[in-house]
C-alpha cells in the first residue's frame, strides 16, 4: 500500500517581516485619506482595511492618528525635495536652471493634487503638526539653498537682478503653481472656464515660467 505523502504547507511571508514595505503602503493609503477628509475626518479603520493590516499595527508604527498624519506630511515633502534634487540644476546655466525648477514645481503640483490638499488642510490646522516635525525645516531648507545657489550664479553672470532673497523666488514659484491646483474647482465655476475634466486651468505652464523669469531677470538698460 502506498504511503501518503504529507504535504508541507507553503510558508507565507508575513507583512510584519517587511516593516518598510508595510509602512510605505500605510503612508500611501493614508495620504489619500487625509487629503480627502483632513485630519479630523480621516479614519484609521479605513486606512487599516485598505492596507489589509490592523489599527494596532498602524499605532505600533506611528503611535497615533496624529503621528501618522505628520508622517504623511513629511513623506510628501520629502518625495518632492528628492525629485527636485535629481534635477541637477547646478549643471545648468542659471536661466535654464530656474526654468527647469519652475517647470518641475508646476508639473509636480498638477500631478499631485493630494499634496495640495494636504498643505491646505495643514494651513487650516495653522501649521500645528508641521510645527512639531523635527525634519521639515531641513527638508525645505534644501529648496531655499538650491534657489540661493542658482540665483547667486545668475546675479554674478548678469542675467538676474540683485536684491531678491531665495524666499522671494520660492514664494512666487509656489504661489503660482499652487493656486493653479488649489483653486481649479472654484475658478472653473465662477468664471465658467472648465476643461473636459470639469476643472479649470488657471495658468498655463509656459505663462508661469515666463512670469517667474521676468520677475527674476535683470532689466535691460
Amino acid at each position: 500500500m502506498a504511503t501518503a505523502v504529507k504535504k508541507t504547507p507553503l510558508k507565507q511571508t508575513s507583512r510584519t517581516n517587511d516593516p518598510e514595505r508595510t509602512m510605505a503602503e500605510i503612508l500611501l493609503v493614508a495620504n489619500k485619506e487625509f487629503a480627502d477628509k483632513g485630519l479630523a475626518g480621516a479614519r484609521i479603520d479605513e486606512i487599516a482595511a485598505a492596507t489589509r493590516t490592523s489599527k494596532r499595527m498602524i499605532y505600533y508604527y506611528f503611535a497615533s492618528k496624529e503621528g501618522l498624519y505628520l508622517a504623511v506630511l513629511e513623506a510628501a515633502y520629502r518625495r518632492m525635495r528628492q525629485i527636485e534634487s535629481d534635477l541637477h540644476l547646478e549643471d545648468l546655466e542659471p536661466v535654464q536652471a530656474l526654468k527647469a525648477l519652475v517647470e518641475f514645481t508646476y508639473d509636480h503640483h498638477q500631478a499631485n493634487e493630494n499634496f495640495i490638499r494636504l498643505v491646505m488642510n495643514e494651513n487650516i490646522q495653522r501649521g500645528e503638526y508641521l510645527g512639531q516635525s523635527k525634519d521639515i525645516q531641513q527638508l525645505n531648507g534644501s529648496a531655499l539653498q538650491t534657489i540661493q545657489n542658482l540665483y547667486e550664479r545668475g546675479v554674478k553672470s548678469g542675467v538676474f537682478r540683485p536684491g531678491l532673497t531665495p524666499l522671494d523666488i520660492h514664494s512666487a514659484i509656489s504661489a503660482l503653481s499652487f493656486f493653479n491646483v488649489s483653486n481649479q474647482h472654484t475658478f472653473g465655476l465662477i468664471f465658467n472656464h472648465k476643461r473636459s475634466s470639469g476643472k479649470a486651468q488657471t495658468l498655463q505652464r509656459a505663462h508661469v515660467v515666463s512670469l517667474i523669469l521676468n520677475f527674476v531677470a535683470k532689466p535691460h538698460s
Side-chain angles (χ1 to χ4, degrees):
M1 179 181 293
T3 303
V5 178
K6 184 178 181 180
K7 294 183 179 180
T8 302
L10 294 175
K11 184 179 181 181
Q12 298 293 324
T13 301
S14 172
R15 291 169 60 85
T16 58
N17 290 338
D18 193 356
E20 290 187 4
R21 178 185 173 188
T22 302
M23 291 175 70
E25 290 180 359
I26 292 170
L27 287 171
L28 183 64
V29 172
N31 180 290
K32 186 176 188 308
E33 180 75 5
F34 286 121
D36 286 346
K37 303 174 184 177
L39 174 60
R43 294 289 177 264
I44 294 295
D45 284 331
E46 294 187 20
I47 296 170
T51 54
R52 294 170 286 113
T53 183
S54 64
K55 289 176 64 175
R56 181 179 178 183
M57 182 171 287
I58 291 174
Y59 288 135
Y60 173 78
Y61 285 127
F62 300 100
S64 64
K65 179 182 178 181
E66 291 76 13
L68 175 58
Y69 171 73
L70 178 55
V72 166
L73 286 172
E74 290 177 337
Y77 277 104
R78 185 176 294 109
R79 189 180 309 113
M80 182 178 181
R81 299 309 172 209
Q82 180 58 57
I83 301 172
E84 194 174 85
S85 69
D86 292 340
L87 296 175
H88 299 293
L89 299 178
E90 67 277 5
D91 296 332
L92 302 174
E93 293 298 321
V95 172
Q96 289 302 313
L98 182 56
K99 180 175 182 289
L101 180 60
V102 176
E103 290 174 340
F104 158 72
T105 306
Y106 183 97
D107 291 343
H108 173 274
H109 289 2
Q110 282 285 309
N112 293 275
E113 187 173 347
N114 280 351
F115 174 78
I116 304 301
R117 288 173 171 270
L118 286 169
V119 175
M120 291 169 67
N121 284 326
E122 181 57 10
N123 273 286
I124 292 173
Q125 302 290 335
R126 293 179 170 83
E128 176 182 354
Y129 294 95
L130 274 184
Q132 299 173 25
S133 172
K134 298 178 181 178
D135 300 327
I136 204 67
Q137 296 291 334
Q138 182 178 357
L139 282 172
N140 290 286
S142 66
L144 294 182
Q145 188 61 55
T146 295
I147 294 175
Q148 177 76 38
N149 293 341
L150 74 85
Y151 174 65
E152 288 180 348
R153 290 194 292 121
V155 171
K156 185 176 181 180
S157 64
V159 294
F160 293 160
R161 65 185 176 98
L164 297 174
T165 69
L167 190 57
D168 291 332
I169 300 170
H170 177 75
S171 298
I173 297 171
S174 180
L176 292 172
S177 300
F178 194 96
F179 177 87
N180 207 45
V181 181
S182 66
N183 286 55
Q184 60 187 330
H185 301 283
T186 54
F187 198 91
L189 289 168
I190 293 170
F191 297 105
N192 194 27
H193 184 64
K194 296 182 183 179
R195 295 175 290 177
S196 58
S197 63
K199 305 173 185 177
Q201 184 171 10
T202 58
L203 286 168
Q204 295 181 23
R205 186 176 189 250
H207 294 166
V208 173
V209 171
S210 179
L211 286 166
I212 297 299
L213 291 181
N214 287 332
F215 170 59
V216 180
K218 184 177 181 179
H220 296 293
S221 56

